[in-house]
Each structure stands twice: as structure tokens, then as C-alpha cells.
Amino acid sequence: LNVKEVAKAVLVKTDSGYAMVVVPAAKYVDFAKVKKALKAKKVSMAKETDITTVLKTKIGLIHPFGTLYGLPVLVDNSLLKQKKLVASAGSYTESLELKPQDFEKAVQPIKGSFSK
């Protein structure tokens, strides 16, 4: 498993609602770049209560398919350049492995540089 292929999904709160940002697991979300991409005034990490309310799931079980919740999804370009993408399957014990092209086709994310 290549560490560059492992992704994490992060729920962020904006002045107009929520969004999901998918970045390499070993990196941080670049909130300034997310703010610019969403044309938002404010962007911050969502609280744990937001995760349980908006995603109706437990902490640590966020999968990258934010579109299932009607959320915009932003994906870091570096993940789309990998041979495969490994992310949470919404379970503490199972992961999902898929081609970045398939993820892109299913989610139609906003693409850009969103990690640092």
C-alpha cells in the first residue's frame, strides 16, 4: 500500500453550509484554498456534533462520498494522479479501494490543491 494513495474525508463548515474535502491521509486541509474554491467567507473544521447530525454517522466513519448527503466534494489533485485510491468505507474495520477515475466519475468533485 502506497501512503500517497490513502485518502481521508474531512467535513468542513462554511458560511453557507457544509462541504467534504478529500485529501491524502498524511496531509492537512488547506482551509484558505478550500475557502477560495467554495467562494466562502469562512471555512472551518466541522464539530463532532456536526458529523453526527449532518452525516448521521459516528466519528471516524466518514467515507468520501459527500454527494450522497447532498454536499459539494473537493478532492486534492494529488489523489487523482495515483493508481488507486484507498479510503474509509464508513466502517472502523473496512476500507474501500477504487480507481481515482471511478471516484471522479461517481462524485464529480471540485478538483484542486487542497492539502498542505
Side-chain angles (χ1 to χ4, degrees), residues 11-33:
L11 184 68
V12 297
K13 188 174 187 170
T14 72
D15 40 291
S16 60
Y18 296 91
M20 188 169 287
V21 186
V22 183
V23 296
K27 298 209 171 182
Y28 297 102
V29 172
D30 188 329
F31 289 100
K33 290 179 179 172

Side-chain angles (χ1 to χ4, degrees), residues 20 55 63-73 103 105-109:
M20 188 169 287
L55 304 180
H63 59 73
F65 297 95
T67 47
L68 295 175
Y69 305 102
L71 300 174
V73 177
F103 175 73
K105 198 171 167 183
V107 177
Q108 297 178 345

Side-chain angles (χ1 to χ4, degrees), residues 2-3 16 20 24 31 39 42 52-53 55 62 73 77 89 99 106-107:
N2 179 344
V3 71
S16 60
M20 188 169 287
F31 289 100
K39 296 176 179 70
K42 256 174 71 178
T52 54
T53 308
L55 304 180
I62 303 176
V73 177
N77 285 330
K99 290 180 183 157
V107 177

Side-chain angles (χ1 to χ4, degrees), residues 78-92:
S78 65
L79 290 169
L80 300 175
K81 294 175 186 156
Q82 303 304 317
K83 286 191 176 97
K84 61 185 175 184
L85 192 66
V86 179
S88 170
S91 155
Y92 287 122

